[in-house]
Amino acid sequence: MKIEAYAVKQPGGKAEPFAYERRLDKNEVLVKISHCAIATGDVQMMNNAWGDSKFPLVAGHEIIGTIEQRGSAVEHLKNGDRVGVGYQLAACFHCEFCWDGNEQFCPEQKVIAVDFPGGLAKHIIVDGRFAFKIPRELDSAKAAPLLSSGLTVYAAIVRANLPENSKTAVLGIGGLGHLAIQFLHKMGHDVSAFSRSREKSEMIRTLGGEFVDSSNLSANTALTRKFDFILSTLNVNFDLNAYLQMLSPQGKLCVVAQPLNKLPLNMGLLYDYAQRTIYGNYTGSRKDMTNMLAFSAKHNIQSMVEVMAFSQLNEAIDLVKKGKVPMKMVLQNTD
């Protein structure tokens, strides 16, 4: 069948109408897209920042829509169901990672913009096992960023296995960070939010965090060995060693975004009178997704969004590129 979409045909180019042919397999569903977020990661893919983009490129990896057609083997979904689709579209379901419930590490996985076109379109076809029912309590526009940004930070936090009332911190209060504050707060943790933007302090407080000015870290010695867990959502250069010094002796630092430049690391901070850990997190499993959506519905965790029409696609992309979107940009399909 023909899928109508919007593609960037060269790095840094404008999104243009584009159509491609796609057959519906027995395990797949056809989703009519109502909402799709544009994230910094989408812009990086459009610019081929990581060197693996394939053009023409249809970006958009935080998608909500309704099921219009199902393959013959899809039984857990029905036409008309409201579902969410994230970065991963398929897995083999027979490798060791899939058997262990870690489909996100499947060597045969298929992901948006690298393997298949994404959500800047009227429809998308996805393996039905990667289409997730959206709880009725969640608004479609505000829930769309949960499908990747929310999943990534939620899975990262769960992996830390923190005891209740842990001292935690979030670096970078943007599309990922403002969701991480909410998750940590609702999980019962004390949350500090590091940002250079003092104008975000009231918003951070409302979300459940305490603002910390990150423009002069060396002046705040009270933060030394304070935190059990630090989550970095920063995609710009930052002082990694300064934050490692803020970890408790057995504290953990998780990174879910990558600056384009390499960061220097003082290895001694990991073991000198300490047993600190640095780890990363790549998206999340299907179980993580289901648990994250249920937790978000229960605790009213949703993204702060600016909504624009699909007809304003390139204007919306430019706003994201220029950093003029406070949190998340979401496109709404009114067709």
Side-chain angles (χ1 to χ4, degrees), residues 194 212-213 216-227 242 245-247:
F194 284 77
V212 180
D213 189 348
N216 190 8
L217 296 177
S218 60
N220 202 335
T221 57
L223 298 175
T224 302
R225 295 193 166 213
K226 175 178 179 179
F227 298 111
Q245 289 177 314
M246 297 180 194
L247 285 176

Side-chain angles (χ1 to χ4, degrees), residues 68-83:
E68 276 198 341
Q69 292 184 37
R70 297 173 296 155
S72 59
V74 179
E75 298 179 350
H76 68 291
L77 297 169
K78 63 181 186 297
N79 289 352
D81 281 350
R82 185 173 63 136
V83 296

Side-chain angles (χ1 to χ4, degrees), residues 207-254:
L207 296 176
E210 178 184 355
F211 171 80
V212 180
D213 189 348
S214 61
S215 60
N216 190 8
L217 296 177
S218 60
N220 202 335
T221 57
L223 298 175
T224 302
R225 295 193 166 213
K226 175 178 179 179
F227 298 111
D228 303 302
F229 175 71
I230 297 176
L231 178 66
S232 174
T233 71
L234 295 169
N235 57 12
V236 296
N237 288 353
F238 65 97
D239 190 342
L240 174 61
N241 297 311
Y243 289 110
L244 286 175
Q245 289 177 314
M246 297 180 194
L247 285 176
S248 62
Q250 292 184 304
K252 303 171 184 179
L253 185 149
C254 180

Side-chain angles (χ1 to χ4, degrees), residues 27-278:
N27 289 312
E28 294 180 324
V29 293
L30 175 69
V31 179
K32 182 178 181 180
I33 296 169
S34 64
H35 296 81
C36 181
I38 302 175
T40 300
D42 293 310
V43 172
Q44 290 172 326
M45 291 297 294
M46 293 175 193
N47 293 336
N48 198 23
W50 311 117
D52 59 356
S53 300
K54 298 177 182 178
F55 297 89
L57 184 145
V58 180
H61 63 285
E62 297 172 325
I63 304 158
I64 287 184
T66 53
I67 302 290
E68 276 198 341
Q69 292 184 37
R70 297 173 296 155
S72 59
V74 179
E75 298 179 350
H76 68 291
L77 297 169
K78 63 181 186 297
N79 289 352
D81 281 350
R82 185 173 63 136
V83 296
V85 178
Y87 182 55
Q88 187 173 3
L89 299 180
C92 73
F93 291 104
H94 55 71
C95 70
E96 59 178 311
F97 300 108
C98 289
W99 279 110
D100 287 341
N102 291 310
E103 306 89 358
Q104 74 272 35
F105 305 135
C106 174
E108 297 181 30
Q109 68 178 279
K110 304 298 181 184
V111 299
I112 282 176
V114 177
D115 301 296
F116 284 128
L120 297 183
K122 293 184 178 180
H123 295 83
I124 189 168
I125 291 177
V126 56
D127 188 309
R129 291 164 288 190
F130 287 94
F132 302 90
K133 289 185 180 181
I134 301 298
R136 58 181 177 79
E137 295 90 346
L138 297 176
D139 173 79
S140 290
K142 295 178 182 178
L146 294 175
L147 277 300
S148 181
S149 297
L151 174 63
T152 298
V153 297
Y154 177 87
I157 294 166
V158 169
R159 181 180 167 187
N161 196 26
L162 297 170
E164 198 170 333
N165 299 318
S166 291
K167 299 289 185 182
T168 69
V170 178
L171 313 184
I173 314 306
L176 290 153
H178 88 288
L179 291 171
I181 293 172
Q182 295 178 71
F183 285 126
L184 286 165
H185 174 61
K186 294 299 183 181
M187 290 175 182
H189 304 303
D190 178 81
V191 190
S192 296
F194 284 77
S195 175
R196 293 177 178 270
S197 304
R198 185 166 290 276
E199 62 269 20
K200 292 184 179 180
S201 59
E202 181 59 27
M203 179 267 292
I204 288 169
R205 186 194 65 77
T206 301
L207 296 176
E210 178 184 355
F211 171 80
V212 180
D213 189 348
S214 61
S215 60
N216 190 8
L217 296 177
S218 60
N220 202 335
T221 57
L223 298 175
T224 302
R225 295 193 166 213
K226 175 178 179 179
F227 298 111
D228 303 302
F229 175 71
I230 297 176
L231 178 66
S232 174
T233 71
L234 295 169
N235 57 12
V236 296
N237 288 353
F238 65 97
D239 190 342
L240 174 61
N241 297 311
Y243 289 110
L244 286 175
Q245 289 177 314
M246 297 180 194
L247 285 176
S248 62
Q250 292 184 304
K252 303 171 184 179
L253 185 149
C254 180
V255 292
V256 297
Q258 179 183 339
L260 292 177
N261 298 320
K262 294 181 179 180
L263 302 179
L265 168 63
N266 178 354
M267 297 288 284
L269 292 173
L270 299 180
Y271 67 83
D272 192 14
Y273 296 98
Q275 195 180 47
R276 297 179 173 119
T277 301
I278 301 176

Side-chain angles (χ1 to χ4, degrees), residues 264-311:
L265 168 63
N266 178 354
M267 297 288 284
L269 292 173
L270 299 180
Y271 67 83
D272 192 14
Y273 296 98
Q275 195 180 47
R276 297 179 173 119
T277 301
I278 301 176
Y279 69 94
N281 186 67
Y282 167 72
T283 187
S285 66
R286 293 188 300 144
K287 181 179 178 181
D288 289 329
M289 180 76 88
T290 300
N291 290 344
M292 180 274 298
L293 289 170
F295 188 89
S296 298
K298 180 178 179 180
H299 296 283
N300 191 31
I301 295 174
Q302 302 192 71
S303 182
M304 301 172 65
V305 299
E306 181 173 341
V307 180
M308 296 178 68
F310 260 80
S311 60

